Amino acid sequence: MQATLTFLGTGTSMGVPTLGCDCAVCRSAVTLDGDPRNRRTRPSVRLAYNDRTVLIDTGPDFHAQAVRENIRRVDAVLYTHGHADHVMGFDDLRPLSFCVEGNLPIYADDATASTIERIFSYTFRKEDRYPTSAQVDLHRLDPTPGAGVDLFGATFLRIPVIHGRQQITGYRFGSTAYLTDMNDLPEESLPLLQDLDILILDALRHTPHFSHSHLEKSIAFVEKLKPRRAFFTHMSHELDHAATEAILPPHIRLAYDGLQLHFEIA
Ligand SMILES: [Zn+2]
Ligand SMILES: [Zn+2]
Ligand SMILES: [Zn+2]
């Protein structure tokens, strides 16, 4: 079964342009003669297959991203972790949750589910629930590495990744894996990332960072895992799109907001 993945956002938590910054990349992100690929909203992806729409994360730019990509329906949402740049668009699921039959299923590991329940407590209150809160069913993921969630004919495998002091969730679906926010991979995740057509992974900037992979390290992950193609995401204003791609091998590209990829999901 063919699927289309759309990058809703490819920026780091601060987005590009970074507020208050006048660097060349931030300027290029907003000027008419700049490079629109340098305009990076907060990271998430949309998967379309089998007439269904599945999101991975809903960041603070989700409303604008959904308008831009004409997202009119969402059938399920998977979360990677509870940082603001990945969950703060949760409330914008409200109108979309009213369109699905029953409640909108959302999936998160235990720590992320607790964060979502805390931030959006009015949605999950048993009594005195705000009547127009999102109508969702929050499912906690099986913590076992490689444990799968079946959604509309495709299986999403939980891939543990290391993000600073936390272990968070990446996903593999068919021949593609999405590993945002990671600076390392635990041993048990390596066998789950073999034979990939597409690997999407974190590449924050040129210099090392305690909770994100940087360009050189991300290239090394690609060399180790040997996917057919790789796309970097969660990028800061230190990476100019054209200048960075020029130094990458042809099978590694930088993602940009709105980029679509086609692959086999099941
Ligand atoms: Zn992030
Ligand atoms: Zn900047
Ligand atoms: Zn994070």
Side-chain angles (χ1 to χ4, degrees):
M1 181 166 47
Q2 276 287 115
T4 302
L5 179 149
T6 306
F7 287 92
L8 299 180
T10 56
T12 187
S13 56
M14 294 184 197
V16 184
T18 300
L19 297 182
C21 183
D22 290 315
C23 78
V25 174
C26 287
R27 279 203 315 275
S28 157
V30 290
T31 48
L32 280 178
D33 59 349
D35 185 342
R37 297 171 303 181
N38 282 332
R39 168 88 180 96
R40 300 179 183 126
T41 59
R42 267 61 68 86
S44 71
V45 293
R46 184 235 349 238
L47 296 161
Y49 62 95
N50 199 11
D51 291 326
R52 302 289 190 149
T53 299
V54 175
L55 304 176
I56 303 181
D57 292 332
T58 53
D61 297 312
F62 175 62
H63 181 277
Q65 294 164 339
V67 171
R68 187 191 77 211
E69 298 297 337
N70 195 26
I71 294 177
R72 311 188 65 82
R73 180 191 167 89
V74 170
D75 297 287
V77 184
L78 300 153
Y79 284 96
T80 59
H81 66 307
H83 282 164
D85 52 326
H86 299 263
V87 302
M88 290 311 282
F90 171 84
D91 214 53
D92 289 318
L93 291 169
R94 288 191 301 142
L96 297 165
S97 76
F98 305 150
C99 303
V100 293
E101 222 170 287
N103 288 343
L104 175 66
I106 65 175
Y107 299 85
D109 58 38
D110 190 47
T112 307
S114 298
T115 301
I116 291 171
E117 285 171 334
R118 177 173 52 79
I119 299 174
F120 304 101
S121 58
Y122 53 89
T123 302
F124 299 97
R125 259 204 301 264
K126 294 275 183 290
E127 287 155 32
D128 189 26
R129 192 173 164 277
Y130 193 65
T132 55
S133 309
Q135 291 170 6
V136 297
D137 283 330
L138 174 56
H139 301 278
R140 279 171 157 77
L141 294 168
D142 179 341
T144 315
V149 173
D150 293 322
L151 292 175
F152 321 114
T155 304
F156 292 77
L157 305 181
R158 180 177 177 270
I159 312 290
V161 302
I162 295 163
H163 180 33
R165 282 183 291 273
Q166 302 181 63
Q167 194 179 91
I168 67 155
T169 297
Y171 293 97
R172 179 182 181 148
F173 28 96
S175 57
T176 293
Y178 181 69
L179 312 179
T180 184
D181 293 62
M182 49 79 77
N183 58 297
D184 211 349
L185 291 170
E187 272 306 308
E188 66 262 29
S189 293
L190 301 180
L192 302 168
L193 295 168
Q194 302 303 308
D195 303 317
L196 286 170
D197 180 19
I198 300 170
L199 172 63
I200 299 162
L201 81 168
D202 187 347
L204 181 70
R205 61 186 191 188
H206 289 290
T207 49
H209 185 277
F210 83 102
S211 65
H212 291 279
S213 182
H214 60 290
L215 205 66
E216 198 183 291
K217 196 172 184 182
S218 303
I219 294 168
F221 281 126
V222 174
E223 281 167 359
K224 186 172 178 180
L225 296 168
K226 298 186 174 33
R228 219 166 309 149
R229 296 185 289 163
F231 292 86
F232 292 165
T233 189
H234 212 291
M235 294 170 285
S236 83
H237 61 160
E238 286 183 31
L239 301 182
D240 175 70
H241 190 96
T244 309
E245 280 206 327
I247 59 168
L248 291 173
H251 65 295
I252 305 178
R253 299 287 88 187
L254 299 189
Y256 54 88
D257 289 25
L259 173 67
Q260 293 199 329
L261 305 173
H262 305 282
F263 64 99
E264 202 62 38
I265 198 163

